[in-house]
Amino acid sequence: RNPSKGRSPAEWRFRVLRWEWIDMQIWPRADPTPKTIRALRVYVPLEDQPDGPGYWDITSKRVQAALEPVLPAIAGGRAWVDFRQDGRGPSSSYSVSITPV
C-alpha cells in the first residue's frame, strides 16, 4: 500500500532490502533557495512498491528515528514493516510495528 497525499491515516507495508543515508536538496515554498537535508533511503522489493523506483526517501526526523534502530535486524527482507501516520504536519503521530516474514 502506498500513501495518498492528504489521506489520514496513511499506511505503508514494506520489507527492507537495504538502506543508506543520503543528502538531498529540497526547495522550500517560502524560500526559493535550495536547502540540503539528510534523508534515509530505504530500498524495498519492487513488489512492495510496484509503481515507484524501488526505494523511499524518508525525510521526517521522527520517522527516521523510529526506523533506524530496527533496520539492522530487518535488512534483507526478513520482516514486514507496518508503518502508520495519523494526522498531517507537525502534530502527526507515527507507529511502527515489525512482523517476521
Side-chain angles (χ1 to χ4, degrees):
R1 296 174 293 198
N2 289 337
S4 174
K5 288 192 179 231
R7 186 177 90 195
S8 181
E11 297 177 355
W12 295 264
R13 182 177 175 97
F14 57 91
R15 293 165 289 163
V16 176
L17 298 176
R18 65 186 191 284
W19 78 96
E20 66 181 331
W21 287 100
I22 63 168
D23 290 327
M24 63 187 304
Q25 282 192 334
I26 61 170
W27 287 265
R29 279 185 240 164
D31 185 1
T33 309
K35 178 180 176 183
T36 301
I37 62 168
R38 191 163 187 213
L40 177 62
R41 179 168 284 179
V42 176
Y43 294 90
V44 299
L46 291 177
E47 59 268 20
D48 293 358
Q49 188 188 25
D51 51 346
Y55 61 85
W56 282 327
D57 290 336
I58 301 169
T59 58
S60 167
K61 291 186 186 303
R62 284 190 282 169
V63 178
Q64 292 171 352
L67 287 177
E68 187 176 26
V70 299
L71 288 173
I74 64 173
R78 294 187 294 241
W80 286 102
V81 177
D82 292 300
F83 183 83
R84 180 181 170 112
Q85 175 185 359
D86 288 300
R88 292 180 50 179
S91 64
S92 60
S93 63
Y94 303 94
S95 64
V96 177
S97 62
I98 308 298
T99 308
V101 173

